[in-house]
Amino acid sequence: MLGLGSSHLYKQVYADDTLTEAWRHVRTGTDQAGVDGVTVVQFQARLFANLKALQTTLRQRRYQPQQVKRLSIPKPDGTMRPLGILTVVDRIVQRAVFLTIEPLFDAGFEECSHGFRKGRSIHTALDQVVRLINHGYGWVVDLDIASCFDRINTMLLFTCIKDQLKDSELRRIIWAWLEAETVSVERQGVLRKREARGLLQGGILSPLFANVYLDRFDKMALKQGLKLVRYADGTPVQA
C-alpha cells in the first residue's frame, strides 16, 4: 500500500508548505467562483486567516467538499465540453492532496503510460513507438477511449484507490469528491442539481485518477505480452 503511516501521510496534506504550494497553483487558475460565490481575489483578501481556518478544519478532520458548479464550454469542433467549477477551498484541498499522493501513485505506473504525467507527453510516447518499430514491430493498432473521463466507473476507481492507499481520512475525502453532487448552471441565477457522472472535467485530481483507473489495463496488457504505448492527446481544462 502507498504511503507511510496513515496519520503521517494525511498530515502532509495540511502542512504549511503543502497548503502554501497548493495556493500558489490555485491563484494562477480561473477566478470564477464555485457554488459559494467566493473568487480567488476574495479569498486572497484574507489569505492568512482563510488558509489557517482551512488548515484547522483539515487537522480536525471536519473538511467536507461543497457541490460542484457545472458549466458547458464550446470545443473547437462545435460540441460542448462539460466543466466543473470547484470552490476555491476545494481547489486548494484537491491540489494539496494531489501534491501528497501523486508521487506515490506515479511510482507504480508502467513505463508505457505517458498521458498526464510529469516529464511525459505525446512526444515521449512517440519516441517509445519509434523504438518498438526499430526493434522490428511492424504493426500498429491505434485505439481511442471516447469520453474517457465521463465514462470512468467511480466505484471501480475507488476500489483501485483503496487497494493502494491505506490512509482512512484521505480515502474518506476522495470518496466524498467522487460522490459530490453537481450543480448545473442553466442560465444566470438558475441552479439545477444533477447526478455526478464519471470524473470531473476540471478536477485537479481527475487526470491522476484516470491513470490510476487505466493502470490495471496497462499491467494486464503487458502481462499478456502486448507492446503498449498509452498517452493522452490533450490537456484537461482545470479550474
Side-chain angles (χ1 to χ4, degrees):
M1 287 189 175
L2 292 177
L4 308 173
S6 59
S7 61
H8 184 85
L9 186 63
Y10 180 64
K11 286 178 181 178
Q12 291 181 30
V13 172
Y14 60 82
D16 287 344
D17 56 344
T18 306
L19 288 179
T20 300
E21 181 64 18
W23 164 250
R24 287 173 182 158
H25 284 274
V26 170
R27 74 179 180 186
T28 60
T30 181
D31 191 43
Q32 190 161 168
V35 294
D36 61 356
V38 177
T39 65
V40 169
V41 171
Q42 291 170 332
F43 188 92
Q44 189 170 17
R46 300 185 67 250
L47 180 60
F48 181 79
N50 286 333
L51 286 179
K52 280 299 178 184
L54 175 56
Q55 186 179 52
T56 299
T57 299
L58 289 167
R59 182 187 298 113
Q60 296 176 352
R61 302 181 178 231
R62 293 186 291 106
Y63 168 78
Q64 292 288 346
Q66 298 191 61
Q67 294 171 321
V68 181
K69 185 163 70 176
R70 179 76 69 174
L71 302 172
S72 294
I73 58 175
K75 295 168 65 175
D77 61 4
T79 60
M80 302 299 288
R81 179 198 300 272
L83 178 66
I85 305 296
L86 300 168
T87 65
V88 175
V89 167
D90 288 338
R91 286 176 232 169
I92 294 171
V93 179
Q94 278 211 8
R95 178 61 66 177
V97 170
F98 176 85
L99 291 170
T100 300
I101 69 174
E102 187 271 341
L104 304 175
F105 276 105
D106 190 79
F109 292 155
E110 299 295 332
E111 285 298 310
C112 64
S113 172
H114 296 266
F116 308 134
R117 295 181 65 190
K118 187 182 298 184
R120 292 169 179 263
S121 65
I122 189 173
H123 302 293
T124 59
L126 287 172
D127 288 342
Q128 188 173 5
V129 170
V130 170
R131 288 196 298 271
L132 290 171
I133 292 173
N134 290 337
H135 279 84
Y137 295 94
W139 288 87
V140 177
V141 178
D142 183 15
L143 302 175
D144 181 44
I145 304 174
S147 303
C148 178
F149 280 25
D150 293 340
R151 299 185 179 189
I152 284 178
N153 183 319
T154 52
M155 288 288 291
L156 181 55
L157 168 63
F158 189 63
T159 298
C160 298
I161 293 170
K162 282 199 309 179
D163 286 347
Q164 301 181 67
L165 187 64
K166 64 183 178 180
D167 188 295
S168 60
E169 185 64 9
L170 283 173
R171 284 179 173 183
R172 181 191 71 81
I173 291 173
I174 289 170
W175 177 246
W177 281 328
L178 293 176
E179 287 296 289
E181 273 189 317
T182 60
V183 176
S184 176
V185 179
E186 295 179 320
R187 60 184 185 273
Q188 188 66 32
V190 176
L191 305 180
R192 179 173 63 86
K193 291 183 180 179
R194 54 175 287 176
E195 183 181 354
R197 178 190 175 201
L199 286 178
L200 180 69
Q201 293 276 357
I204 292 163
L205 285 161
S206 294
L208 173 63
F209 286 167
N211 276 332
V212 171
Y213 189 78
L214 292 170
D215 183 59
R216 288 191 176 186
F217 167 78
D218 295 344
K219 286 177 167 51
M220 290 178 65
L222 294 173
K223 188 176 180 180
Q224 294 298 317
L226 298 177
K227 302 301 179 182
L228 176 68
V229 180
R230 182 171 62 78
Y231 69 98
D233 60 0
T235 301
V237 178
Q238 293 189 2

